[in-house]
Amino acid sequence: MTFMKDYGMTRRSVLKGAGALVVTISTPITLKPGSAKAALAAKRPALTPDELSSFVKIAENGQVTAFFGKMDMGQGVDVAIAQIVADELDVPFKAMKVVMGDTATTVNQGGGSGSTGIQRGGIPLRNAAAEARRILMEMAAERFKVPVDKLETADGFVKVKGTSKKVAYGRLIGANHFNVKLSWNGRMGNRLKSTGVAKPKSPDSYKVVGKSHPRYDVPGKVYGTLDFVTDIKVPGMVHGRVIRPTKAGAKPLSVDESSIKHIPNVQVVRHKDFIGVVADKEWDAIRAAEQLKVNWSKVKAPFPNQDALYDYIRKAPVLKAKKKAKDAGDVDKAIKGAAKVVEAEYEWPFQSHASMGPASAIADVKDGEATLWTGSQKPHYARNGVAKLLGMKKEQVRGIWVPGPGSYGRNDAGDGAHDAAMFSKLVGKPVRVQGMRYEGTGWDPKAPASVHPLRAGLDAQGNVIAYHFHSKAFDRQDVRSNEASPSYTLAGQLTGAKLTPRKIFRTPAESYEFPNKRAGWEIIHPLLERASPLRTSHFRDPLGPQLHFASESFVDEMALAAGADPVEFRLKYIKKKIDAQVVRVAAEKAGWKPRVGAQSKPGGTSTVSGRGIAYAQRNGAVLAIVAEIEVDRKTGRIWPRKFTVAHECGLIINPDGLRRCIEGNIVMATSRMLWEEVNFDNEKVTSVDWETYPILESMEVPEEIDIVLIDRPNIMPKGAGEPSTRPVAGAIANAFFDATGVRLRRAPYTPARVKAALG
């Protein structure tokens, strides 16, 4: 993994070299004999998606740099991009370097988002590499005075077939950059697509793609040589700490600056309701933030009692609703005439990102320009948002992504970026912001709490004739999934930015086919509209765990009502062939033995075991998971001993990288299902550390995760970064019922909740 470390580079020179970002639709050029020089430029052309040089550079020594407008969150996406480019260019994998997430060197491909790193982010890089290879061959054809069809490429060389004549790519390029136009669809972010004249290779010719290559970042993390965002230092930097109210919604009325006069070189910084301190030394900033006396406004307690949360959701007025019929039919009429009706309701809590460390960022605002160092998973959007916060054009701000302590979904990294920019603007110095643990867990955006009432109707033969899935919940994006606007961050909301909630939720992603089927959702108002510690946004696989906890648990409940084995029941109603294949593969690999109902009944021995299955789709990928768990009736603790996974996501770029990604997803999702729940009282979030917001411990991780990768090389890669998060909760829930005979419909399955359920 590579990112720019030349922090001494001036912002002005970088921005001048990058040029203005202009959205255009361009037609690729085709070189003609004698025009090779036109394909090269001494300076890198403007950083726009219609320029080949925006994606690929070849150095004189043969090193190839891929400029990737996303970033990697530990899945090794950068390695996969290197494999894609290496194959299209016919260069050794070791010749590759990937630069990610720097707005001065990469175009905006959306950052880490929606498992699209390969599925969408890889497309422009693949096309650009194929076009670069075409240009190199035409340059070599001119050099050797032979037709292009007499040439071939291998190992970074263009060769004349049947002869010893060859020329290295670096020799053809020299110290130049590509100066070739691409077609561009005019879109920025995840859906950006740039295309050249050349057609990418067919999968059967790949030599690098499909092989397992190790991640770039692991050695640096293991040996402590990799810079994290917390390690970045800038000359003249001071340290900032934002001060949050003790009661959510309270505003600072007055400040007693004399309360910290004994701390040297500390400055109180305030702009509207944004308040904090900066100091030359970090420890002084920490002390000042803790000791500064602030007179806060009196506000009505904004939150309900936590034990009444789900009743609150049920009774709350609806802000927005959406209902859609997935299949033709009249669900209500069919249920009314059903021989048997199955009903259940499932509950999911607020959850915190609880990243390994709280957010950190550095901003340097001066001379009408700004530089931002951030661990955000969407640095281009963080740059855009900071520009708006500062009243600048985005071309005046450079965002540099540096690995942070975590960034799945919209965690507190975006708030840290805007906090640092606000501080730097107000004090006129580069400011490093570092949160505390209680701030990172207490004030990060949360995954929304929700309730999911479901109904189904069965005929006299046990066939499902109607199915209704519904959710009522807090907004999926009360603040958006990036930091592109001040309104999405605490700093912006505290200084009066107009609120722009998206008002959206989601329905389960599956292919069950019932004669009458309906799925919909309702959104309720946030508990506190502005600067709330319970504001909601994306967490990893947004809404996937809670939706499929409900839907896949209910599928098992329908199977029981129908007197059917859960696997056989799913296969009876799954519409898509690949989905059915994935379910079969998981069941067969796990040695599934059909049965109806739970193998254990209430009571019995202290430790019981069970297994359960769940399946889901995500961004085109399909997977099924069988969970095998042990439940200690006395302690209430659940150990998910083994997971068996069948995973299909089209063409697999790096099998080992995909396996590691799946393993990480399963462990994280298991933690969310067994432990994670944001606690709060009427005034504040009380989950502020690892004791009050526990996560899965090392002794609780699965003993085995058995993965079957279903490779379909003739199908373009699908999103694989998050899908395996999705069915874990449902699989554990179904395994718990199998082990105990008790259906527990509220997550997480904490020891206390399990003991209460088992009596």
Side-chain angles (χ1 to χ4, degrees):
M1 179 173 58
T2 306
F3 54 88
M4 295 194 66
K5 289 190 177 182
D6 185 10
Y7 305 131
M9 181 184 294
T10 66
R11 294 182 298 277
R12 193 179 307 277
S13 65
V14 170
L15 295 168
K16 183 178 179 181
L21 186 58
V22 181
V23 178
T24 60
I25 304 294
S26 302
T27 302
I29 66 166
T30 302
L31 291 179
K32 297 179 181 179
S35 64
K37 291 183 179 180
L40 302 178
K43 293 183 179 180
R44 189 182 184 189
L47 184 61
T48 56
D50 61 346
E51 292 284 354
L52 180 56
S53 62
S54 295
F55 300 102
V56 176
K57 175 179 171 53
I58 300 176
E60 290 183 82
N61 64 1
Q63 184 178 64
V64 178
T65 302
F67 298 99
F68 187 42
K70 288 184 173 288
M71 44 72 73
D72 178 65
M73 294 181 287
Q75 296 108 326
V77 175
D78 51 340
V79 176
I81 291 295
Q83 291 178 253
I84 289 170
V85 173
D87 247 338
E88 290 296 340
L89 265 175
D90 275 333
V91 298
F93 178 77
K94 63 182 180 181
M96 290 300 308
K97 180 175 74 171
V98 179
V99 173
M100 297 183 289
D102 187 333
T103 64
T105 58
T106 65
V107 298
N108 183 1
Q109 291 184 261
S113 177
S115 304
T116 59
I118 302 301
Q119 184 184 37
R120 292 179 179 165
I123 293 174
L125 274 297
R126 183 185 299 279
N127 291 339
E131 185 70 354
R133 177 175 172 271
R134 182 186 74 83
I135 299 298
L136 290 164
M137 291 187 71
E138 294 204 12
M139 293 172 67
E142 183 178 328
R143 181 187 186 95
F144 291 126
K145 309 298 182 186
V146 298
V148 170
D149 61 10
K150 299 295 183 183
L151 301 175
E152 60 185 358
T153 56
D155 298 326
F157 287 85
V158 183
K159 302 178 180 180
V160 179
K161 296 177 182 177
T163 75
S164 60
K165 293 180 180 180
K166 64 180 181 178
V167 59
Y169 292 170
R171 187 80 177 272
L172 288 169
I173 295 291
N176 298 302
H177 300 262
F178 286 110
N179 184 29
V180 176
K181 288 290 184 181
L182 303 174
S183 289
W184 172 39
N185 64 354
R187 306 187 70 170
M188 301 298 285
N190 291 332
R191 296 187 181 275
L192 182 152
K193 188 173 182 179
S194 299
T195 309
V197 172
K199 183 179 179 181
K201 295 180 179 179
S202 62
D204 57 10
S205 66
Y206 291 154
K207 299 176 181 177
V208 183
V209 166
K211 302 292 193 301
S212 293
H213 288 273
R215 276 172 35 189
Y216 292 134
D217 59 335
V218 171
K221 290 177 178 177
V222 171
Y223 295 111
T225 57
L226 176 70
D227 280 345
F228 287 89
V229 69
T230 48
D231 299 317
I232 303 302
K233 297 177 176 61
V234 176
M237 177 181 78
V238 294
H239 299 270
R241 285 291 190 280
V242 181
I243 298 172
R244 309 291 182 198
T246 55
K247 181 184 289 188
K251 300 179 180 181
L253 298 177
S254 61
V255 180
D256 180 8
E257 296 192 26
S258 66
S259 61
I260 57 171
K261 65 180 182 180
H262 59 288
I263 303 175
N265 302 315
V266 176
Q267 177 182 350
V268 176
V269 179
R270 182 177 178 185
H271 177 54
K272 297 183 179 179
D273 295 333
F274 177 90
I275 185 169
V277 295
V278 297
D280 291 346
K281 295 182 179 179
E282 185 175 15
W283 178 237
D284 290 338
I286 294 171
R287 290 195 298 151
E290 291 176 345
Q291 297 176 30
L292 181 68
K293 293 182 179 180
V294 180
N295 179 27
W296 298 98
S297 65
K298 294 182 179 180
V299 295
K300 181 181 178 181
F303 305 141
N305 292 328
Q306 185 173 355
D307 58 8
L309 173 63
Y310 299 111
D311 283 338
Y312 175 90
I313 294 173
R314 292 183 188 99
K315 297 174 183 177
V318 175
L319 177 61
K320 183 179 178 181
K322 183 173 183 180
K323 297 179 180 179
K324 61 179 181 179
K326 287 194 171 182
D327 290 319
D330 188 328
V331 168
D332 296 328
K333 181 179 179 180
I335 289 179
K336 189 175 181 180
K340 181 184 291 187
V341 176
V342 184
E343 296 182 282
E345 188 172 66
Y346 303 86
E347 300 164 337
W348 192 271
F350 288 110
Q351 291 186 322
S352 169
H353 289 80
S355 298
M356 288 189 293
S360 180
I362 298 173
D364 186 7
V365 183
K366 62 185 177 184
D367 301 330
E369 297 174 345
T371 303
L372 170 70
W373 290 265
T374 176
S376 163
Q377 70 175 45
K378 299 185 180 180
H380 289 81
Y381 292 111
R383 180 273 311 269
N384 295 353
V386 163
K388 292 178 182 177
L389 184 75
L390 300 175
M392 294 180 175
K393 296 179 180 180
K394 63 183 180 182
E395 291 80 15
Q396 295 174 287
V397 181
R398 178 187 180 189
I400 303 172
W401 171 75
V402 190
S407 61
Y408 294 115
R410 169 65 169 82
N411 70 349
D412 55 335
D415 293 305
H418 282 230
D419 289 342
M422 179 68 76
F423 271 129
S424 185
K425 177 183 179 180
L426 295 174
V427 304
K429 298 178 181 178
V431 179
R432 176 184 181 273
V433 168
Q434 170 72 65
M436 304 293 281
R437 165 53 59 196
Y438 64 86
E439 294 169 323
T441 310
W443 286 91
D444 66 342
K446 306 298 190 291
S450 55
V451 296
H452 308 272
L454 284 82
R455 297 184 300 154
L458 283 69
D459 65 17
Q461 289 73 44
N463 299 305
V464 177
I465 58 174
Y467 172 84
H468 181 201
F469 182 97
H470 190 73
S471 299
K472 190 174 183 183
F474 292 96
D475 193 351
R476 168 182 160 192
Q477 291 190 50
D478 182 41
V479 293
R480 301 295 180 93
S481 61
N482 58 54
E483 306 84 51
S485 170
S487 65
Y488 308 162
T489 67
L490 289 172
Q493 293 194 1
L494 290 170
T495 53
K498 182 180 178 181
L499 302 180
T500 55
R502 193 173 178 193
K503 303 174 187 175
I504 190 172
F505 212 69
R506 179 185 280 167
T507 55
E510 32 78 354
S511 70
Y512 295 118
E513 187 172 45
F514 304 115
N516 303 279
K517 181 177 181 181
R518 184 171 69 226
W521 49 261
E522 294 175 321
I523 293 297
I524 66 174
H525 292 267
L527 295 173
L528 179 64
E529 287 195 350
R530 189 175 290 270
S532 173
L534 286 175
R535 65 208 157 108
T536 53
S537 192
H538 280 179
F539 197 175
R540 192 174 195 180
D541 183 24
L543 306 184
Q546 50 267 61
L547 289 173
H548 291 82
F549 163 60
S551 66
E552 286 296 295
S553 294
F554 193 68
V555 168
D556 265 35
E557 296 207 47
M558 289 191 294
L560 181 62
D565 170 72
V567 171
E568 293 176 354
F569 183 84
R570 283 172 171 80
L571 294 175
K572 179 178 178 179
Y573 293 104
I574 286 175
K575 178 172 60 177
K576 293 187 176 181
K577 290 183 179 180
I578 183 61
D579 296 29
Q581 179 189 349
V582 169
V583 170
R584 287 192 187 95
V585 169
E588 291 170 3
K589 183 66 173 176
W592 186 273
K593 296 180 180 180
R595 61 172 170 262
V596 177
Q599 66 170 334
S600 298
K601 306 299 179 185
T605 61
S606 174
T607 301
V608 292
S609 60
R611 52 65 173 143
I613 191 168
Y615 124 89
Q617 304 167 339
R618 172 72 159 93
N619 254 29
V622 184
L623 67 152
I625 294 179
V626 175
E628 299 177 32
I629 70 171
E630 294 180 2
V631 183
D632 189 321
R633 290 179 176 272
K634 290 184 178 179
T635 65
R637 294 180 77 94
I638 295 173
W639 179 38
R641 187 181 66 79
K642 180 181 179 181
F643 289 98
T644 303
V645 184
H647 193 287
E648 186 278 323
C649 59
L651 171 67
I652 296 173
I653 309 297
N654 186 321
D656 186 66
L658 177 57
R659 290 178 184 277
R660 299 292 175 261
C661 179
I662 292 169
E663 290 172 354
N665 276 331
I666 287 175
V667 171
M668 187 176 185
T670 299
S671 178
R672 294 176 67 179
M673 179 56 176
L674 298 186
W675 286 106
E676 298 186 36
E677 180 174 18
V678 172
N679 293 302
F680 56 92
D681 58 25
N682 296 124
E683 301 179 344
K684 62 186 179 299
V685 168
T686 58
S687 294
V688 293
D689 53 30
W690 298 125
E691 290 188 7
T692 52
Y693 190 83
I695 63 173
L696 196 73
E697 297 181 358
S698 58
M699 293 300 292
E700 299 170 310
V701 300
E703 181 179 64
E704 182 180 359
I705 299 177
D706 190 4
I707 301 170
V708 180
L709 300 180
I710 302 173
D711 189 17
R712 296 207 289 171
N714 293 319
I715 296 177
M716 291 300 292
K718 305 172 185 177
E722 298 170 281
S724 43
T725 299
R726 182 159 287 189
V728 171
I732 291 175
N734 292 333
F736 180 81
F737 174 77
D738 185 51
T740 65
V742 174
R743 177 63 65 177
L744 184 53
R745 299 186 180 95
R746 177 181 292 184
Y749 284 14
T750 61
R753 191 161 289 146
V754 168
K755 288 175 67 177
L758 298 180

